[in-house]
Amino acid sequence: MKLPIADARATWGYTRGLLRSNRRELSLIAGLHVLSAVAGLVGPWLLGRLVDDVRHGTTAAHVRDLVLVAAVAILVRAVVQKVAQQRSMVFGETVFASMREEFLDTVTELPLSTVERAGTGDLVARTTNDVSKIQNAVRFGVPQLTVAIVTIVLTVVATLVLAPLVAVAMFVGLPLLLSVVRWYLRRAPEAYQAESATYATLNGTITESVEGVRTVDALSLGGRRDGRSDGDLGAAYRAEMRTLGLRTVLFPGVDLTFVVAPVAVLVWGAFLASQGTATMGAVTAVVMYTFQLTGPVWNLVYWLDEISVAAVSLARIIGVRLVEPDRTASGAVPASGEIAARGVRYAYREGHDVLHGVDLDLRPGERLAIVGPSGAGKSTLGRMLAGIHPPTGGSVTVGGVPLVDLPLDDLRHRVALVTQEHHVFYGTVAENLRLADVDAPDERLREALAAVDALTWVDALDDGLATEVGSGGTTLTPAQAQQIALARLVLLDPDVLVLDEATSLLDPRAARHLERSLAAVLAGRTVVAIAHRLHTAHDADRVAVVEDGRITELGPHDELVAAGGSYAALWHSWQHE
Ligand code: ADP
């Protein structure tokens, strides 16, 4: 399953909205460009007049006046153009920055289940490749396109007003230009879309290989992963060749028009002049205007191309906004803090339930350990209890309200999950902790660190809490990173904590010590600990055994041992390890 891609209507609607909300600045910029284009029209017109005047005999003073006017026009044009360009650039940057922020907001609020199902490669490709592809179009394309269109329209109007008969020849290249551009634009979007998709796949493959490098090594999958990357690269190469092929038709086609048009005007103008139906001056001016069109028309074609590429990327970026939320806050307020699971089922893939109707009541303040064989569904159950995914069947409620009906902020203060996967963000230790509580004073950070046995080593770092960690900074061990994740949870201080093997990377003795000091801080909180070390179960108030997607035993450690079921067997074998 891939992330959605916006259709042409949605993409266009978004663009229109963007233009509309910046209407005033855009009109101002367009106005400045009109002024600059008009000033640019003065030169050829004056030159044409000069030719006619000289032919009919004129004074040096008249010539000087005309040259002066031309000089003023050039000066005005330069100044207006500078202001217009500057404003356009600032405008482009502003729009791009706000789009980027908006996109980042969307990405960080994507439902986790969707991201997991779509794979991170696609999302990474959209946040990197696609964003950089629209970057130039938004920054320079929109302003340049405005300039090109304004200049072309005004120049054509000027020639038609000045010498309509001569101007007709200017359009001989038009059929060729239009058919080449149309041919190109018909094929381009699909070809560029395919190109982007090949990059998404390539990204996914490489990210997977890098993330799974240990597995790749352990199973000697290197060759196979290489083969896969080569295949993806091949596809990307073919897609690039196809778009390149399109451009090799477009560019020479457009260039040809620029040769044909001025030559046609010159020949046709010479003919008209010889017939006495046009003056030499008019022909001169129109030829100049035709030359002057070259730049703007090229810009128009170039940016139409760039923008058609960017539109594809934009569709992919806007597509991310179309991901349906996996929950909607209903506004219901829980009557109590008690969490209850009823008939919970969950399927990662349709038709393959990994939980088969789990019932569980968490008693406020209790410590519940979940144990069972690997693959039994413990983590999945933990995610359900923390409201990460809505269950596929049944419900998990807090005080009678389904977890997934609560706004995320509220939910996270009621129940939070820490897994084995944790991330240390680039920044100081303090910043990493304050992700959970922005305003926490240093003293609270230290308390939280002490609760997870981490204060000693943090104090031993060069700058203590202010030490830079994460990529580029001091590297923390996986166990230390796990402690930071747990300290964040202490700061977040939710009513219910779900710990999914959250101390698995510490050595057993340190883990047990940490769990005890954590328990002291968390007294009164409900803790669900998914454990593979049975001392966690031994220390808990109740133990739930999960086997094959069901809770098969539930009760205090001593009772379960006495009952002689699978927990008892597990306990005995663990003790003899
Ligand atoms: P445990 O925590 O007891 O080891 P899990 O809850 O992780 O078990 O997994 C239960 C089952 O769900 C396993 O068969 C596992 O392969 C499957 N599973 C877990 N995560 C995913 C996922 N993201 N996509 C598909 N299947 C998954």
Side-chain angles (χ1 to χ4, degrees), residues 443-495:
E443 213 33 56
R444 272 208 69 208
L445 303 187
R446 297 176 62 82
E447 282 165 20
L449 287 170
V452 296
D453 291 347
L455 192 55
T456 324
W457 65 256
V458 169
D459 276 340
L461 293 174
D462 287 345
D463 297 314
L465 275 176
T467 310
E468 301 265 342
V469 292
S471 87
T474 305
T475 311
L476 299 184
T477 64
Q480 288 173 330
Q482 207 160 43
Q483 282 170 301
I484 295 283
L486 283 167
R488 263 187 219 133
L489 196 63
V490 173
L491 285 167
L492 188 64
D493 195 23
D495 301 335

Side-chain angles (χ1 to χ4, degrees), residues 116 348-349 354-355 372-381 383 500-501 530 546:
E116 284 179 349
Y348 289 96
R349 281 175 301 138
V354 297
L355 293 178
S374 140
K378 303 184 295 296
S379 295
T380 310
L381 178 59
R383 295 165 74 97
D500 186 354
E501 307 207 336
I530 299 168
V546 173

Side-chain angles (χ1 to χ4, degrees), residues 274-321:
S274 71
Q275 300 292 304
T277 34
T279 67
M280 291 279 275
V283 177
T284 310
V286 176
V287 171
M288 296 277 291
Y289 282 139
T290 312
F291 273 122
Q292 272 196 1
L293 277 178
T294 311
V297 170
W298 243 135
N299 262 346
L300 180 69
V301 173
Y302 176 80
W303 285 110
L304 277 182
D305 176 33
E306 288 280 305
I307 283 173
S308 77
V309 177
V312 171
S313 288
L314 187 63
R316 291 166 50 79
I317 289 172
I318 301 174
V320 177
R321 299 172 9 136

Side-chain angles (χ1 to χ4, degrees), residues 14 29 96 148 193 215 226 230 275 349 354 372:
Y14 176 84
I29 291 173
F96 181 61
Q193 191 120 34
T215 316
D226 270 353
D230 285 347
Q275 300 292 304
R349 281 175 301 138
V354 297

